[in-house]
């Protein structure tokens, strides 16, 4: 990771967590969400309210309950590393 202290397993991505430290996202080349709590798969956007992962072209589709359920599943927590 950029802090030169934290390292993540292969096929994980370093992301800053909500405390401003680096943690690991369980996606390869993930998109780190600004909140520092979640990350999304490559090619997705972190939408802030509610915090979900969505495709760039899905501007209003997240309002559909099924779509929101799927997009919530895609997000992953940024895990702290020892």
């Amino acid at each position: 990771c950029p802090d030169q202290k934290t390292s993540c397993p292969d096929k994980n991505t370093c992301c800053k967590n909500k405390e401003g430290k680096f943690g690991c996202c369980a996606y390869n080349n993930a998109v780190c969400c600004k909140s520092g709590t979640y990350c999304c798969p490559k090619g997705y956007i972190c939408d802030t309210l509610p915090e979900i992962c969505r495709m760039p072209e899905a501007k209003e589709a997240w309002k559909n309950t099924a779509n929101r359920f799927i997009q919530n599943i895609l997000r992953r927590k940024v895990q702290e590393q020892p």
Side-chain angles (χ1 to χ4, degrees):
C1 296
D3 66 357
Q4 312 247 331
K5 297 176 190 172
T6 309
S7 61
C8 295
D10 286 344
K11 298 190 178 182
N12 278 233
T13 303
C14 292
C15 290
K16 276 193 177 179
N17 63 24
K18 60 186 176 183
E19 288 84 31
K21 298 177 182 177
F22 282 94
C24 301
C25 173
Y27 283 123
N28 191 29
N29 297 317
V31 175
C32 302
C33 299
K34 289 180 184 178
S35 70
T37 306
Y38 294 102
C39 57
C40 296
K42 180 181 178 182
Y44 282 75
I45 293 173
C46 296
D47 211 340
T48 53
L49 294 172
E51 193 163 40
I52 58 170
C53 300
R54 69 170 176 83
M55 292 298 292
E57 64 275 4
K59 297 186 189 297
E60 296 297 318
W62 66 267
K63 292 180 180 176
N64 174 301
T65 304
N67 282 340
R68 188 181 325 170
F69 177 75
I70 291 166
Q71 291 164 344
N72 276 321
I73 290 172
L74 289 173
R75 70 182 186 171
R76 300 260 172 103
K77 279 201 170 278
V78 175
Q79 302 294 324
E80 288 188 32
Q81 294 298 95

